[in-house]
């Protein structure tokens, strides 16, 4: 290691860590970041810029880094856009540079840099406009290949992520001098505190500068405070945690690096996405130093002064010969301290004419850096002092253009910060986010002493709001120097001066944008892509605003800022969606017969959250239709068994239950006899059909409503609304009992025989009848209802017996030549009978459309009655339910196909209707369909042309009654 | 975002479903003129400022009217529909 | 006539699960009766039952009465007094719910991965209706380290999947420290 000095507070110097960068093996120390280790290995070139593929080195030492974005190998694949400044080194770490080919030193795309005059702001908008035919075939592929930083891995992201919720009285964001004092004050007061810090180590800038607090070294003071905080049970320290967004109700989004920094994280997540709910929060996020836009400022070796200091103090990185270019007192003081500590300061350049210092290094007031040299890294800078240019050999140029309070989180609710002329920066106003206040450097208080004091004050105010008594705090003594600067946004000299390093935006681009009319800050941003890279312009937006203000002749506050939106730092989609893949994507609802259906080889299909068997295959089946035809045949000829437990079941109980049901159904349920079942239709208040199903009267004050599987939740919600909003005080209660009962349909001519085996004796139940039954010791319910058109029963038992009941029923049915049937056969059976499902009740149909206008009672009010009678919801112009038969019985048809007059063109304007359901009927030996067709009921016998553009089908069909099989219903009744 | 359920207290937004303006609770009489039904079913204000929304808290089955401000996002209170005027 | 045998909602899900300082096991089957007092009948019902829980309450009378929703409580156990149907709508829910107990020093940390509520703030015992991930949840806090978690019977698999994943990660985090 060539570039290490002694010390390094973050390092464990005794622990060497081997890693690979771009295929080269290197050695760092435990405690290094990837960036510090690379610098220590004398690697300055860490990537290529987005547009011009210019060589770039690290600019910062924090999460705001625009340049040092690398691809990191993790779980077998390389993940792009990892900030080398944040990634902690671990043994075996493998990283490579991105955005270059074939190598970072010889990047073919760097040819773009030669065309820079043509690639100026708005290049894409100007160039790829014509000819129009080129958009899709030429321009888009070319742009796509060039666009984006890094490459997306092709494989699934198998990294483990976690999501978690946390709650606290006070969230402290940042652990510098301000944050530590806030946490200490609130912690001593007994508040429930979370202290979140993005870095691995707490302490913020106190870790990166020499100085005394209360007579001890700043780092020792930090250690003392942390020891006290760690000992407090009411304080939680969350290092490696970036707060990335503020949301309504005191909610903060945070991203914690849990295993990201470890060689062997085991089953620990790589990152955890925290949602922290805080009653109060204090933003103590400090400030970010800003660079100066001077020609050649993007060369590897050009860094922020604060970053040079951080790498020196924390990671013992020797920057070699350093030229400091600063416009403020803090920069000068910092350079002096670094020189005292042995850093080679080759020169200090300050644009201010009126500052002077007794410095151990050459001091050039009234000077500017006007050029840099060095192909893959800085070798020399050219300075201009009062019109005279000279060159200084150096390895590092340290920039300090002043400081911007890190206020983004205060702007996430849309409020705008205000301009503070004294520090030439935007600062937050109080109350921009309810419950969140900025303190310390985050609101422009820059000296250590001011931060400590502001932290105590902010904590006291928050504690008062929380109703807690603030403890007496003695302020530690610390540096309290004044901060003065003269803004220097750009050095006007020949050559390109960069603002946004990541997206390659220069001062010239911003000026050009203004000239071309994109003078509003939001327009300039989009025209130049300023601030749109992963770093979101943290180190460049301010400079770009100032250049824009200069170009338009306005002031900076008049120019305003762009909008700050979450996330403040990049957050992987994997973290936001932690756990929500595979079995965790959404809940799975499994019936009690699920395991047996799967054991029988049934492919399962999703019905809402439920899984239901599609069909039950047997050896020798040619395809699924063979099975489907067989199962349909069971039911028509012998007996079939189907688990129908997924249908919603709602108990409606109480003396007013009948009255209530009359109000929510179109028909009258209050006059239903005990032990009888009735089919019912529920409408939405807008007159359209919501759902259909049966309603059974189990007892005088006890009804059981069934819903379709799909609408069970919606119907329950609807019934609760009607009850709570319109039936106040009624003697009535609702309860969902869907899950308590396993319900099996037994259908077919031999259904009675199967039930005889189960019940001993089959009750003499009329069609649409109900009675309680005993299956041995188990109390069950028997309904004589049919969704197949055959003689059918549904037998319900408490769910714990469902699996066993299904097993018995299937075995009994098989013994009679029948068996289990799945959703495919169920669908065929109901289409043959013209029974509807939500394929027909698609939210746009009325009872009239379904031919069920007779079910709408005229003697009472019910939900949807008024609207269902308005003009337009009844009449010949409506699409009405009909049956379809193809003229060629073997012509396959599918749901979704459109219907046209035989000679009409197949365009939207000529559509007469569409197929809602279709199947091959083994019973009738033909394809069948249900359809909604304009004035369909009056057109039975008419011939239309069916067109299915998606599947390329076209055939002639004729309209008919939707009940194809046993229209009198004798099979299910007797 | 949190909403106050009159039954359960402040709860995470993901537990709630928003149905729209609370006007939906003011159902016209069965024989009201078509204009009243049209207004009830289809016409809504779009206030910038204080608003009353109708929400459903699925975990406990409570329908509630929430008073909130569409500009500031401040949620100021709620009443159970069953107990509302 | 056949005799039916019962099966457990967690059958095949390999409970108990133990990871680090958390253990998940199924709650033995118990009779659950949903009790919803009719308007104006809550007091009469309460005197018949020895109380009726307010939102969030768990009352231990001869039975355990757990608040489970708007105007509704579950009675856990046998021996419901006769004649309650005069005051309340009753429905059997013994088979509708799958219950598992999460217990151990890390139980709260595990639930903090799945439940968007501050469980530290809840009394012992108390009940909450909320979500576990996307699953409907009835949570009964038995102690600071033991929680009964009930969801719909059909979702027992998803419940155990979610908890298993969270338990593993919390245990792995502990192993890092």
């Amino acid at each position: 290691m060539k570039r290490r000095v002694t010390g390094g507070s973050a390092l464990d110097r005794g622990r060497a860590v081997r890693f690979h960068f771009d295929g080269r093996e290197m050695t760092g120390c435990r405690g290094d970041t990837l960036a510090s280790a690379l610098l220590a290995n004398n690697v300055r070139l860490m990537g290529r810029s987005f547009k011009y593929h210019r060589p770039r080195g690290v600019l910062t030492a924090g999460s705001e880094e625009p340049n040092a974005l690398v691809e990191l190998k993790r779980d077998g694949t390389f993940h792009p856009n990892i900030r080398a400044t944040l990634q902690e080194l671990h043994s075996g770490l493998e990283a490579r540079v991105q955005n270059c080919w074939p190598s970072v030193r010889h990047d073919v795309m760097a040819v773009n840099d030669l065309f820079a005059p043509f690639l100026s702001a708005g290049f894409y908008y100007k160039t790829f406009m014509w000819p129009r035919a080129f958009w899709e075939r030429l321009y888009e592929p070319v742009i796509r290949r060039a666009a984006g930083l890094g490459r997306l891995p092709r494989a699934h992201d198998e990294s483990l992520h976690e999501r978690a919720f946390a709650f606290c009285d006070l969230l402290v964001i940042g652990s510098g001098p301000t944050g530590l004092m806030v946490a200490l004050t609130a912690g001593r007061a007994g508040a429930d505190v979370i202290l979140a810090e993005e870095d691995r180590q707490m302490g913020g800038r106190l870790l990166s500068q020499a100085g005394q607090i209360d007579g001890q070294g700043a780092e020792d003071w930090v250690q003392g405070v942390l020891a006290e905080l760690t000992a407090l049970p009411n304080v939680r320290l969350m290092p490696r945690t970036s707060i990335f967004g503020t949301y309504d109700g005191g909610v903060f989004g945070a991203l914690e690096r849990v295993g990201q920094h470890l060689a062997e994280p085991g089953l620990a997540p790589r990152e955890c996405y925290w949602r922290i709910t805080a009653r109060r929060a204090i933003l103590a996020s400090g400030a970010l130093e800003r660079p100066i836009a001077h020609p050649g400022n993007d060369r590897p070796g050009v860094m922020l002064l604060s970053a040079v200091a951080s790498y020196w103090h924390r990671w013992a990185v020797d920057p070699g010969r350093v030229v400091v270019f600063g416009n403020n007192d803090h920069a000068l003081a910092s350079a002096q301290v670094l020189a005292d500590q042995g850093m080679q300061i080759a020169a200090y350049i300050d644009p201010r004419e009126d500052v002077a210092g007794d410095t151990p290094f050459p001091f050039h007031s009234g000077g500017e850096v006007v050029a840099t040299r060095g192909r893959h890294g800085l070798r020399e800078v050219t300075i201009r002092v009062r019109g005279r240019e000279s060159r200084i050999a150096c390895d590092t140029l340290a920039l300090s253009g002043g400081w911007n309070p890190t206020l983004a989180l205060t702007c996430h609710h849309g409020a705008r910060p205000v301009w503070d002329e004294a520090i030439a920066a935007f600062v937050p106003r109080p109350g921009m986010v309810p419950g969140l206040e900025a303190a310390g450097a985050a609101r422009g208080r820059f000296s250590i002493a001011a931060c400590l004091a502001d932290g105590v004050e902010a904590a006291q105010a928050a504690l008062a709001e929380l109703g807690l008594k603030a403890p007496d705090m003695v302020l530690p003594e610390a540096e309290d120097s004044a901060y003065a600067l003269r803004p220097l946004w750009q050095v006007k000299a020949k050559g390109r001066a960069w603002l946004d390093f990541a997206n390659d935006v220069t001062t010239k681009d911003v000026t050009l944008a203004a000239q071309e009319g994109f003078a509003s800050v939001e327009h300039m941003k989009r025209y130049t892509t300023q601030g749109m890279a992963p770093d979101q312009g943290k180190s460049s937006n301010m400079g770009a605003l100032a250049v824009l203000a200069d170009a338009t002749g306005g002031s900076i506050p008049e120019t305003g800022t762009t909008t700050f939106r979450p996330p403040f730092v990049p957050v992987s989609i994997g973290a936001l969606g932690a756990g929500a893949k595979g079995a965790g994507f959404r809940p799975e609802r499994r019936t009690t017969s699920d395991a047996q259906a799967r054991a029988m080889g049934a492919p399962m299909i999703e019905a809402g959250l439920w899984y239901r068997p599609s069909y039950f295959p047997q050896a020798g089946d040619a395809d699924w239709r063979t099975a489907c035809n067989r199962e349909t045949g069971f039911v028509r000829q012998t007996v079939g068994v189907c688990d129908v437990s997924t249908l919603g079941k709602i108990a409606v109980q109480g003396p007013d239950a009948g009255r209530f049901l009359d109000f929510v159904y179109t028909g009258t349920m209050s006059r239903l006899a005990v032990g009888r079942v009735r089919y019912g239709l529920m409408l939405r208040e807008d007159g359209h059909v919501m759902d259909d199903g049966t309603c059974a009267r189990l007892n005088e004050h006890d009804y059981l409503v069934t819903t379709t599987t799909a609408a069970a939740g919606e119907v329950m919600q609807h019934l609760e609304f009607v009850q709570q909003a319109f039936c106040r005080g009624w003697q009535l209660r609702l309860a969902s009992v869907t899950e308590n009962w396993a319900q099996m349909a037994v259908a077919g001519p031999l259904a009675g025989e199967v039930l005889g085996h189960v019940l001993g004796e089959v009750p003499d139940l009329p069609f649409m009848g109900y009675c309680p039954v005993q299956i041995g010791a188990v109390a069950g319910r028997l309904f004589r209802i049919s969704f197949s058109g055959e003689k059918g029963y549904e037998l319900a038992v408490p769910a714990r017996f469902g699996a066993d009941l299904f097993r018995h029923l299937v075995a009994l049915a098989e013994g009679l030549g029948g068996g289990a049937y799945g959703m495919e056969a169920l669908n065929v059976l109901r289409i043959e009978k013209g029974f509807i499902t939500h394929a027909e009740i698609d939210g746009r149909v009325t009872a009239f459309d379904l031919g069920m206008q007779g079910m709408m009672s005229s003697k009472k009010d019910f939900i949807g009655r008024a609207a269902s009678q308005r003009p337009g919801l009844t009449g010949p112009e409506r699409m009405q339910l009909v049956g379809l038969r193809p003229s060629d019985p073997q012509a396959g048809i599918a749901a979704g196909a459109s219907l046209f007059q035989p000679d009409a063109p197949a365009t939207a304007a000529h559509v007469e209707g569409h197929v809602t359901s279709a199947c091959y009927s083994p019973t009738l030996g033909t394809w069948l369909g249900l359809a909604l067709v304009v004035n369909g009921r009056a057109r039975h016998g008419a011939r239309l042309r069916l067109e299915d553009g998606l599947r390329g089908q076209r055939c002639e069909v004729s309209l008919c009654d939707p009940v194809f099989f046993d229209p009198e219903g004798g099979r299910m009744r007797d | 975002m949190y909403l106050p359920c009159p039954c359960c207290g402040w709860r995470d937004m993901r537990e709630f479903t928003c149905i729209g303006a609370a006007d939906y609770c003011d159902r016209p009489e069965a024989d009201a003129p078509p204009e009243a039904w049209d207004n009830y079913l289809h016409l809504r204000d779009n206030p910038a400022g204080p608003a009353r929304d109708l929400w459903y808290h699925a975990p406990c089955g409570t329908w509630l009217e929430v008073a909130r401000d569409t500009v500031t996002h401040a949620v100021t209170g709620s009443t159970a529909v069953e107990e509302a005027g | 006539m056949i005799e039916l045998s019962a099966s457990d909602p967690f059958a095949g899900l390999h409970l108990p699960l133990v990871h680090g300082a958390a253990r998940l096991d199924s709650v033995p089957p118990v009779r659950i009766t949903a009790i919803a007092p009719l308007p104006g009948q809550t007091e009469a019902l309460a005197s018949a039952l020895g109380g009726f829980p307010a939102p969030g309450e768990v009352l231990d009378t001869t039975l355990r009465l757990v608040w489970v929703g708007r105007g509704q409580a579950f009675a856990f156990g046998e021996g419901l007094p006769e004649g309650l149907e005069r005051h309340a709508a009753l429905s059997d829910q013994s088979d509708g719910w799958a219950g598992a107990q999460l217990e151990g020093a890390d139980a709260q940390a595990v639930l903090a991965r799945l439940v968007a509520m501050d469980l530290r703030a809840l009394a012992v015992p108390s009940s909450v209706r909320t979500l576990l991930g996307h699953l409907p949840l009835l949570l009964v806090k038995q102690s600071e380290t033991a929680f009964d978690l009930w969801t719909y019977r059909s979702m027992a698999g998803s419940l155990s999947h979610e908890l298993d994943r969270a338990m593993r990660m919390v245990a792995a985090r502990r192993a890092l420290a």
Side-chain angles (χ1 to χ4, degrees), chain C residues 154-168:
Chain C
S154 65
M155 299 188 182
S158 288
L159 181 78
S160 93
H161 168 84
E162 295 289 336
L163 287 163
D164 183 39
R165 188 176 188 279
M167 289 163 71
R168 284 173 193 273

Side-chain angles (χ1 to χ4, degrees), chain A residues 517-747:
Chain A
F518 297 91
S520 125
V521 61
E522 297 285 4
H523 289 161
M524 177 277 287
K525 167 180 169 167
R526 284 153 184 83
Y527 199 57
T528 61
T529 71
Q530 162 65 41
M532 291 165 71
D535 71 317
Q536 292 284 291
K538 288 187 182 62
S539 48
S540 58
N541 279 343
M542 190 60 244
L545 286 180
V547 172
L548 182 66
D550 186 42
T552 57
S555 70
I556 292 173
E558 279 165 5
T559 306
T561 64
T562 52
T563 310
F564 296 87
R565 293 188 182 87
F568 176 64
V569 291
V571 181
S572 64
I573 299 291
L576 293 175
K581 60 180 183 180
F585 180 64
R586 58 179 193 172
E588 291 180 358
R589 299 183 81 173
R590 297 199 173 194
T591 61
T592 56
S593 65
D594 186 273
Q596 172 154 6
R598 287 173 199 261
M600 291 166 77
M604 305 302 279
I605 52 169
E606 294 171 34
L609 298 178
W610 290 99
Y611 285 79
R612 304 186 76 182
S614 189
Y615 56 94
F616 294 87
Q618 285 182 9
D621 284 355
D623 58 10
W624 67 270
R625 261 226 329 270
T626 315
C628 175
N629 290 346
R630 175 176 59 240
E631 292 165 20
T632 307
F634 290 165
V635 179
R636 293 274 178 248
Q637 286 144 33
T638 56
V639 60
V641 172
C642 182
D643 189 335
V644 294
S645 309
T646 60
L647 271 70
K649 308 175 202 63
I650 301 168
V652 182
Q653 296 165 293
D656 286 322
R659 182 182 166 206
F660 176 75
L661 293 171
D662 287 349
F663 188 42
V664 295
Y665 276 115
T666 61
T668 308
M669 298 298 176
S670 55
R671 290 204 297 274
L672 191 64
V674 171
R676 299 292 297 180
V677 184
R678 185 168 287 170
Y679 175 74
L681 212 54
M682 283 187 201
L683 305 187
R684 297 193 308 241
E685 194 69 277
D686 67 4
H688 294 78
V689 178
M690 169 186 277
D691 198 35
D692 70 339
T694 60
C695 176
R697 192 165 193 174
L698 309 182
N699 266 311
E700 180 65 18
H701 295 155
D702 194 354
Y703 290 80
L704 183 70
V705 166
T706 63
T707 74
T708 59
T709 301
E714 182 192 354
V715 170
M716 185 66 191
Q717 184 176 319
H718 168 70
L719 296 185
E720 288 190 315
F721 175 72
V722 173
Q723 182 201 10
Q724 291 173 32
F726 308 136
C727 306
R728 292 174 193 142
W730 289 24
Q731 296 290 311
L732 165 75
R733 287 293 176 250
L734 306 171
S736 168
V737 293
T738 305
E739 293 267 357
N740 197 59
W741 298 91
Q743 193 153 318
M744 308 297 163
V746 183

Side-chain angles (χ1 to χ4, degrees), chain A residues 2 29 75 103 335 398 415 561 625 628 637 677 766 812 855 920:
Chain A
K2 302 169 221 161
C29 280
D75 304 313
S103 78
T561 64
R625 261 226 329 270
C628 175
Q637 286 144 33
V677 184
L812 288 166
M855 288 179 61
Y920 178 77

Side-chain angles (χ1 to χ4, degrees), chain C residues 95-116:
Chain C
D95 291 58
W97 293 78
Q101 186 173 78
L102 180 69
E103 176 266 327
D106 274 343
Q108 291 215 17
V110 170
L111 289 175
R113 269 71 195 158
L114 295 164
V115 179

Side-chain angles (χ1 to χ4, degrees), chain A residues 248 275 277 685 720 724, chain B residues 2 12 14 27 56 61 73:
Chain A
D248 286 332
R275 234 198 43 178
T277 305
E685 194 69 277
E720 288 190 315
Q724 291 173 32
Chain B
Y2 288 84
D12 191 276
R14 74 193 62 195
R27 188 174 189 266
Y56 178 61
H73 294 195

Side-chain angles (χ1 to χ4, degrees), chain A residues 705-917:
Chain A
V705 166
T706 63
T707 74
T708 59
T709 301
E714 182 192 354
V715 170
M716 185 66 191
Q717 184 176 319
H718 168 70
L719 296 185
E720 288 190 315
F721 175 72
V722 173
Q723 182 201 10
Q724 291 173 32
F726 308 136
C727 306
R728 292 174 193 142
W730 289 24
Q731 296 290 311
L732 165 75
R733 287 293 176 250
L734 306 171
S736 168
V737 293
T738 305
E739 293 267 357
N740 197 59
W741 298 91
Q743 193 153 318
M744 308 297 163
V746 183
L750 303 182
E753 258 183 76
V754 169
L755 281 179
H757 283 101
V758 173
L759 300 174
E761 193 180 339
V762 184
D764 182 20
L765 207 53
F767 180 60
M768 300 301 265
Y770 152 80
C771 69
V773 290
Q774 282 294 131
I775 303 125
V778 176
R781 293 168 170 180
L782 186 66
F783 305 87
R784 183 150 170 217
I785 50 182
S786 173
F787 195 53
S788 60
E790 295 301 322
K791 181 173 186 177
Y793 296 88
E794 290 187 9
L795 178 59
V797 293
R800 76 186 70 178
F801 302 110
D804 202 34
L805 177 64
F806 184 74
R807 195 175 56 79
H808 278 289
L809 291 174
V810 170
L812 288 166
E814 284 174 351
L816 294 168
Y821 65 101
M823 289 304 98
E824 296 295 348
L826 181 138
N827 198 39
V828 172
L829 291 162
R830 69 98 191 168
I831 292 173
E832 289 176 346
K833 284 294 295 178
F835 291 148
I836 56 173
T837 67
H838 277 272
E840 285 72 38
I841 315 172
D842 63 1
R844 296 174 295 177
V845 306
T846 62
F848 172 85
D849 299 340
L850 299 171
M852 295 183 181
Q853 59 274 36
M855 288 179 61
M856 305 213 286
S857 167
S858 55
K859 299 194 180 72
K860 54 155 189 152
D861 185 22
F862 57 85
I863 297 289
R865 177 174 186 262
S868 68
Q869 291 163 352
R870 69 194 163 134
L873 290 196
T874 57
E877 73 280 13
R878 302 281 306 171
M879 292 211 284
Q880 300 158 2
L881 184 71
V882 291
L884 286 186
R885 278 175 186 262
S887 301
D888 170 5
Q890 301 312 311
I893 55 180
S898 297
L899 298 165
F900 301 91
Q901 287 291 352
D903 304 323
T907 59
H910 293 89
V911 171
E912 304 238 332
H914 61 270
V915 181
T916 56
S917 304

